[in-house]
Structure formats: C-alpha cells, structure tokens
Amino acid sequence: MKATDSFGCPFDKLYKNQSIQGADISFFRKGALELKLEQVTTPASERGFAIGISTTGGHSRRIFHEHHATTYDFAENSIYVRNLADPYKADLGGPFDFLLLEISPAALQRIAQESDLAGIASLDIKTAWSDPVLANLVKTLIPALEHPEHASRLFVDQLASAIGIHIVQEYGGKLVSAKASRKLSRSHEALAKNMFLENLKGDISILDVAKACNLSRGYFIHAFRETTGMTPYRWLQKERISRACELLRTSEMSLSDVATACGFADQSHFTRTFANTVGTTPGQWRRNA
C-alpha cells in the first residue's frame, strides 16, 4: 500500500507538498502532474473541515457518495469545503495545484466567537464553487509556504485571522452581528507596541500579544486596528521603515546591516519593502537625505 498524506494523496505523486501553521488554521499546498491519479480515499475523522482552492484550471474529480457519484470540473479559484467527519472517495483527473486549509471544530467555533458571529459549529459543503476573494487571500500565503523559514509569524497569523473570518461569514450560514466600537486602553496599546518592537522580524504571534493584554486574538486585532488605524503587521512594517530611515540618515551602516537591524529577512527583502513603501530604494533615499 502506497504512503499517503492526511488528505489521501500518494506522496510519490506530489511534486508540491508544502505546509505552514497559522492562527487556528493549518495551510498546505499540494500539486500533482499526473493526468490520472489512482482513487483517493480518506476515512471519517474528527479533524474538522478542509477547504481547498484550485490555483489552476483543468482538474476534475468524480466523487462517490453512498448511492451515486457526481463529477465536478475545477476552474482557477474554484474551491471546495469538505467535512472531514464524512468518509471521502474520489477519482482525480488531470494535474492539480491546490491550496488547502484545515480547521478543527474547536478552532472554527473560536474563530466565529472572536469574529462577533453567531455560534457556528459547521460549514456549508461546497464543491467546485467560485470564491475569488478567498482564493486571493490564501494565495497571498504562497511565498510563506515556499519559504516558511523566512515567513513572518505575525503576518501569517494576521492573514489566517482574515481568512477565518471570511470562511465563517461565507460558509457558516449565520449573519454577522453588529460590531461595537472597541479600542485598546493606553496601557494595552503601549504593551502591544513594545512587544512588537522587541520582535521586529515579526517572529511573535498575535495570540501571544493578545494574551499579554488579557484579550482574545480576534478582539485584539479589531481593537488594535481601531486604535492605530492599521493592522498589527502594517504598523510594524511602518515602524521598520521609520527605523531604517533613521539609520540611513544618521549612520554609515551598510544596507545589509540596516536590513538586519530593522528586522528584514535580507537586503533584498529590505530594498523591495522600502521601495514599495517610500517610492525609492534605500540607497537613493540615503543619497538624497
């Protein structure tokens, strides 16, 4: 019997097999080049829900139910939502490149609660359903999946939170309740900012900061944005750039050393982010300063 991954795909057929963990959501990328794979099966489990996003077209699958089978064609940005409590059996046709999300039952309820949604314990089942919003959100994580060692934990957690909110809003079958205005206290704002500044690389989870403030992750994200006008990741990027400008203006440090001091993965990452934010390269900015 061939070894398979947790979604039933044989390892020897996968040319892409990547993963990264976000806040309450596990992310994967699975790709195969075979025109026809053997039948994929997974037994029922209590793992929760799987959401798949097709990054390319041309894939089809024939899914077997108790008394019949149905065939679906996946276009680019087509998604499926699967309850892993149900056994699954399908014939896969054509190459595929899927981004996959796995959400446990407890995580689903936590995401719903922190998002000010009515209690949600299940998701609506969908197959070959178009959702370009979800597709584009999850595709933003592709660089992190390809190079998890360089991924900002803060960025991944923040994006996972946004993805979770979209999923419960679109597929939880519940209406969003009205959100009350909420802001961080001055002490919580100062504590959060200090924790972020002490971890300029973003190697800190939003949950860690929220716990330090004695707040839920979802409440903290909303409150931080309402207090500062920015998401935690965007605020930290702004602080990195501000610190870089100060070092470029007042020191003779090399661009590589400035990049390291300001929490960027390397000089290339620093130059790209600086140029996108300021409109010019760090070297050019230094010459004009």
Side-chain angles (χ1 to χ4, degrees):
M1 182 177 293
K2 288 188 176 182
T4 62
D5 66 4
S6 60
F7 297 97
C9 295
F11 282 117
D12 65 348
K13 301 294 185 182
L14 295 174
Y15 81 102
K16 287 188 184 294
N17 188 22
Q18 303 160 342
S19 65
I20 195 169
Q21 182 64 42
D24 280 329
I25 303 177
S26 299
F27 295 93
F28 307 87
R29 189 177 186 184
K30 307 282 185 177
L33 297 174
E34 301 284 334
L35 292 178
K36 185 176 182 181
L37 287 103
E38 57 261 43
Q39 193 171 83
V40 168
T41 62
T42 53
S45 72
E46 299 301 317
R47 285 160 47 197
F49 293 85
I51 297 99
I53 300 101
S54 180
T55 67
T56 60
H59 175 68
S60 66
R61 56 183 59 188
R62 188 167 188 249
I63 302 174
F64 296 89
H65 310 282
E66 187 174 0
H67 299 297
H68 69 287
T70 49
T71 299
Y72 299 90
D73 294 318
F74 284 82
E76 183 180 359
N77 296 337
S78 290
I79 74 151
Y80 67 74
V81 181
R82 225 178 94 198
N83 189 341
L84 297 174
D86 300 324
Y88 186 79
K89 182 165 68 173
D91 291 333
L92 307 188
F96 65 82
D97 186 352
F98 270 87
L99 296 165
L100 301 172
L101 292 67
E102 186 173 324
I103 306 175
S104 71
L108 178 62
Q109 293 183 44
R110 191 158 51 243
I111 292 169
Q113 182 180 7
E114 292 181 352
S115 305
D116 290 338
L117 298 169
I120 291 174
S122 186
L123 297 176
D124 297 332
I125 305 306
K126 301 288 184 183
T127 307
W129 184 266
S130 178
D131 190 338
V133 173
L134 179 60
N136 287 323
L137 278 172
V138 181
K139 283 179 180 178
T140 307
L141 279 173
I142 287 178
L145 282 161
E146 292 177 343
H147 301 286
E149 69 278 7
H150 295 149
S152 163
R153 188 177 175 191
L154 181 64
F155 173 74
V156 174
D157 275 1
Q158 185 175 294
L159 191 57
S161 181
I163 289 167
I165 291 171
H166 177 81
I167 288 169
V168 294
Q169 285 180 340
E170 292 297 314
Y171 306 108
K174 301 291 182 181
L175 294 176
V176 184
S177 62
K179 290 183 174 68
S181 176
R182 43 181 152 173
K183 291 188 176 183
L184 294 174
S185 66
R186 288 185 179 180
S187 60
H188 282 164
E189 180 184 0
L191 174 60
K193 288 180 175 179
N194 284 336
M195 290 183 72
F196 288 137
L197 290 174
E198 289 171 0
N199 294 272
L200 276 179
K201 289 186 177 180
D203 192 22
I204 185 173
S205 73
I206 289 178
L207 182 59
D208 289 339
V209 182
K211 281 183 174 179
C213 297
N214 199 29
L215 300 171
S216 72
R217 181 179 56 244
Y219 186 98
F220 172 78
I221 292 173
H222 288 297
F224 189 94
R225 184 168 54 222
E226 198 156 314
T227 303
T228 66
M230 289 173 276
T231 63
Y233 181 74
R234 183 68 64 186
W235 182 87
L236 186 58
Q237 284 287 70
K238 176 177 172 290
E239 291 299 313
R240 283 172 169 171
I241 296 298
S242 295
R243 180 169 295 190
C245 287
E246 182 65 17
L247 290 175
L248 290 171
R249 186 177 62 83
T250 62
S251 79
E252 295 182 358
M253 293 171 64
S254 68
L255 296 184
S256 178
D257 288 342
V258 172
T260 301
C262 297
F264 293 96
D266 50 38
Q267 185 176 333
S268 175
H269 179 215
F270 170 49
T271 300
R272 186 170 61 253
T273 304
F274 192 97
N276 288 340
T277 304
V278 180
T280 187
T281 64
Q284 185 66 42
W285 189 93
R286 170 179 263 173
R287 287 190 289 273
N288 293 336

